Amino acid sequence: MAVLVVGSTGRVAKEVLKIFSAEKTEVLAAARRPEAVEKLPYVTAVALDLHAPVDKLAKEIQGVEAIIFAAGSRGKDLLQTDAYGAVKLMQAAQQVGIKRFVMLSALYSLKPEKWPETLTDYYIAKFFADNYLINQNKLDYTIVQPGSLVTTPGTGLVKMAEEPGQISIADVAAVLATVVNKVATYGRIIPVVAGNQPIATALQEIE
């Protein structure tokens, strides 16, 4: 499956690329500044600007079979990138017949009553992007909702439960890279925090 990782200069996407590279899996790394994408074996950097119109995005993603959306503005461009950028990419995917779309979101993105006040604008962007993915198209989606991201080393051990908690960036990346080919995760929302189950085992239990 030809996979496009969007937001490839971001913290989570960088780790996703390292996983694919280590597995010797060819992957396209999309970023507004492709020259800033880390150079890795089996990783090809490509230009993709989420500010572009849908038709232009559609031309740039032709030939792709799956998209992992891990782009994020870290609060600097929430409407254009985190919200509408995601929506336009979904629309572009449908235009060119791409069915698989994996979304990196956030724990409780669809439950406003549980949002932290300090991150309200970020959660609003995720709320609308996730709702569009679920309700406004026919993509084979998976939404991964991690708890608070931390920079500790990955353990490969998680808990897929909707409860407060932290999770390493490396482990979130491993979940994204694992679910992309799992048909059983289509149409699923997967909350994940650090835990004591290997990722593959935890995914089997939700199938």
Side-chain angles (χ1 to χ4, degrees):
M1 182 178 286
V3 178
L4 177 76
V5 179
V6 180
S8 287
T9 56
R11 298 184 301 168
V12 176
K14 285 180 180 179
E15 297 300 321
V16 173
L17 296 176
K18 289 176 184 177
I19 292 167
F20 283 126
S21 178
E23 293 174 349
K24 299 182 179 180
T25 299
E26 298 282 350
V27 63
L28 297 175
R32 187 180 299 180
R33 296 181 299 110
E35 69 278 5
V37 173
E38 183 175 352
K39 290 178 173 56
L40 296 165
Y42 305 98
V43 173
T44 302
V46 295
L48 190 77
D49 186 350
L50 293 172
H51 288 200
V54 174
D55 288 348
K56 186 172 190 297
L57 292 173
K59 290 177 183 177
E60 292 173 341
I61 64 175
Q62 284 184 345
V64 170
E65 296 173 272
I67 294 171
I68 297 176
F69 188 91
S73 65
R74 303 193 75 175
K76 298 175 183 177
D77 190 30
L78 290 168
L79 291 178
Q80 287 266 46
T81 297
D82 302 63
Y84 193 39
V87 167
K88 286 190 293 182
L89 196 62
M90 296 172 211
Q91 294 171 337
Q94 291 194 110
Q95 265 193 32
V96 297
I98 299 167
K99 294 291 292 180
R100 184 68 173 129
F101 199 103
V102 177
M103 171 72 87
L104 172 60
S105 188
L107 194 65
Y108 303 129
S109 65
L110 298 171
K111 295 187 176 180
E113 69 276 9
K114 295 191 175 184
W115 294 349
E117 289 186 12
T118 55
L119 294 172
T120 298
D121 288 347
Y122 168 75
Y123 272 85
I124 289 171
K126 286 297 183 186
F127 176 84
F128 283 104
D130 290 358
N131 268 292
Y132 191 92
L133 182 55
I134 295 166
N135 298 310
Q136 301 296 319
N137 60 72
K138 296 180 180 179
L139 295 172
D140 294 325
Y141 71 85
T142 302
I143 297 175
V144 177
Q145 297 179 322
S148 300
L149 301 183
V150 293
T151 57
T152 54
T155 65
L157 301 174
V158 299
K159 182 177 183 179
M160 292 182 177
E162 195 176 55
E163 60 183 48
Q166 297 181 329
I167 183 169
S168 76
I169 289 169
D171 285 335
V172 175
V175 173
L176 294 171
T178 302
V179 301
V180 70
N181 288 315
K182 283 195 171 291
V183 175
T185 67
Y186 288 11
R188 299 295 297 269
I189 299 168
I190 301 176
V192 60
V193 293
N196 54 20
Q197 282 190 311
I199 291 168
T201 303
L203 283 171
Q204 284 177 352
E205 291 193 358
I206 68 166
E207 292 177 1

